[in-house]
Amino acid sequence: MRGFGLKGVGPKALWPKGGTRHIAVTVFCSVLVLGALLLPNALVALRPVRFLRLPGEAVIGAIVLLALPRRGRTPVAVAIGVGLAALTVLNVLDIGFRQYLGRGFNPVLDWELLDDAHGYLRDTLGGTAALAATAGTLAGVGALFALLAWATVRLAGALDRHRSQASLGVLVAGTVWVTCAAIGLQIGGVPFAADRAAQAALSQARRVQVTLRDEAEFAQEARADAFGATPPGQLVPNLRGKDMIFAFVESYGRSAIEDPGIAPGVTATLDARTKALEKAGYRARSGWLTSATYGGGSWLGHSTFLSGLWIANQARYRTVTSGDHLTLTRAFRKTGAWRTVGIVPGVRKGWPEAKFYGLDHVYDAHHLGYQGPKFSWSTMPDQYALEAFQRLEHGRRHDKPLMAEVILTSSHQPWAPIPRTVGWDELGDGRIFDGIEKAGLNPEDVIADSARSKREYGRSVQYSVTSLTQWLQRYGTDDTVLVFLGDHQPIARVSGDHASRDVPVSIVAKDPKVLAAIDDWGWTEGLRPAHSAPVWRMSAFRDRFLRAYGSVPSPTKG
């Protein structure tokens, strides 16, 4: 260092006060700031090598702080620390959202989903654990902001106290960064010259820009409807007299049928249930739909399937459900030829979307008569919900056939405890499930174990599909038509980091004309779609279905 005219520079010269403790504190601040600058926003990228790089933002930040007068340096350092803390929170949210929803966090739309996350924890782990987790998270976020603000102020003071040495250090670091960036030097496959924080901030800004533009464009798209002006008499004329059931099976994705760790039990169930239905006179056809959501956000999948629009975020959902775009379920109501009902055991508060879906009556968690235990997030077993549907609607005399939207919940994560099928005559008010729930696995044991999550997820899908098809076998008639599908794939812990967004969809009926109408779809016979079966975007189903059963397009324009 003497060659640079820095005779006598060493630890004691750089940190003359406080000795080792002072050095340790400054090193801690440096590590904290560098960690925030280099933190990736995906779990797969959290490798040690990612933190062994030189962030260009650190060089620029040091230059700015050195150039400022002492009076202006502290507030700027605080602002930098707060900004780093905010960026760290967004990166952590990105990691969580990618793991659970297969996409990054949207700073415009997704804050309200954090309340849903709290509700999920409360229903899964209990109120005390959810409260503790929420309080711990808020405390951690507050501590992060305070620590990073303090760390940047501390480092700004160190730069000021040792201005000449710091200036030289910044010059050397800047030169190294530019040189490494120019030659593309990498460590462990990762560029040594990093601009991670700048790229993260730019990515978040682009998301905001795209979201705001998308809201305006989608509002116009939602006003256009290929069947919006179709007269009632020209909607689904070839299904008149049929009892129509559209059922969603929670988290029933392609992985359930094709992942080697899950598929054996699920495919065996699908094949067995296909044979049982055939014995009862039913035939089935199955294909694939690509869901607009992944890992969660079931309502986005439901609304995409029923509206024929791609509802991939909360803004689109709010826009479409506040309008009068024709849903598949509302089309049946518009004809005046069906009574339309919703069986929605996952709904525990007001559900204004019932009007959008065209439902005459809704049976939520409070109106199905269930007195048994909850199964983690799920308010009641699917078998009970279906039996309640039979008791309250399907098994009663009506002057019109029935159209029902049924949303099943037993295959909702965390897949513990899972109900098991009991005798249909034994269901009663649901208290028969008390012992089954108590004997089941604890959610926290399954959440922490990927292999167990896969196994229990597969069991939950088997239970839901079995319950639904047994209900059809037991209570269906010659005029019952069942359409059922998954709303989205399960989370990445189960489906993997690179899983598709495809879900199975099946149409089941006794009347051969119902399935003959979709012969040109190329779907697979039975409840298990072949790997090569056609794959459509979920938003394409509504129009294809309406046309297949005789509906005449009459568009409204956006």
Side-chain angles (χ1 to χ4, degrees), residues 366-547:
H366 305 293
H367 296 92
L368 291 168
Y370 185 66
Q371 300 298 317
K374 285 179 59 183
F375 282 76
S376 190
W377 183 89
S378 180
T379 58
M380 66 191 69
D382 291 344
Q383 187 186 9
Y384 178 88
L386 289 163
E387 178 66 23
F389 169 46
Q390 177 66 21
R391 182 182 73 250
L392 295 168
E393 286 287 348
H394 187 264
R396 301 176 107 183
R397 286 184 173 274
H398 295 292
D399 58 358
K400 299 177 182 179
L402 199 63
M403 191 293 303
E405 177 184 356
V406 180
I407 302 177
L408 302 177
T409 62
S410 289
S411 50
H412 194 287
Q413 63 171 305
W415 309 299
I418 299 171
R420 62 176 173 80
T421 306
V422 300
W424 287 84
D425 294 327
E426 300 171 4
L427 284 165
D429 62 5
R431 278 180 263 204
I432 191 174
F433 291 103
D434 284 339
I436 297 172
E437 189 272 338
K438 289 176 183 176
L441 296 174
N442 292 321
E444 53 267 29
D445 295 335
V446 174
I447 288 173
D449 188 328
S450 179
R452 182 175 277 189
S453 291
K454 276 179 174 280
R455 183 174 66 248
E456 297 307 311
Y457 162 71
R459 288 183 59 227
S460 74
V461 170
Q462 292 175 59
Y463 169 79
S464 293
V465 170
T466 298
S467 296
L468 181 59
T469 53
Q470 279 190 1
W471 176 89
L472 181 63
Q473 184 181 358
R474 180 180 176 89
Y475 295 119
T477 71
D478 292 347
D479 290 321
T480 303
V481 178
L482 170 65
V483 180
F484 78 95
L485 68 152
D487 45 22
H488 54 71
Q489 282 266 51
I491 59 176
R493 188 175 73 249
V494 168
S495 61
D497 293 320
H498 305 291
S500 74
R501 295 190 174 216
D502 297 345
V503 300
V505 57
S506 300
I507 297 180
V508 190
K510 278 189 178 181
D511 186 345
K513 293 179 182 179
V514 172
L515 296 183
I518 61 168
D519 277 345
D520 61 345
W521 287 8
W523 283 15
T524 308
E525 288 194 27
L527 297 177
R528 175 157 57 115
H531 177 77
S532 58
V535 181
W536 307 336
R537 279 167 68 92
M538 191 176 274
S539 54
F541 183 86
R542 187 204 72 160
D543 287 9
R544 285 177 180 264
F545 183 90
L546 290 175
R547 287 190 175 96

Side-chain angles (χ1 to χ4, degrees), residues 48 73 132 194 220 304 338 456 476 523:
R73 188 178 302 116
Q220 183 172 354
T304 294
W338 277 271
E456 297 307 311
W523 283 15

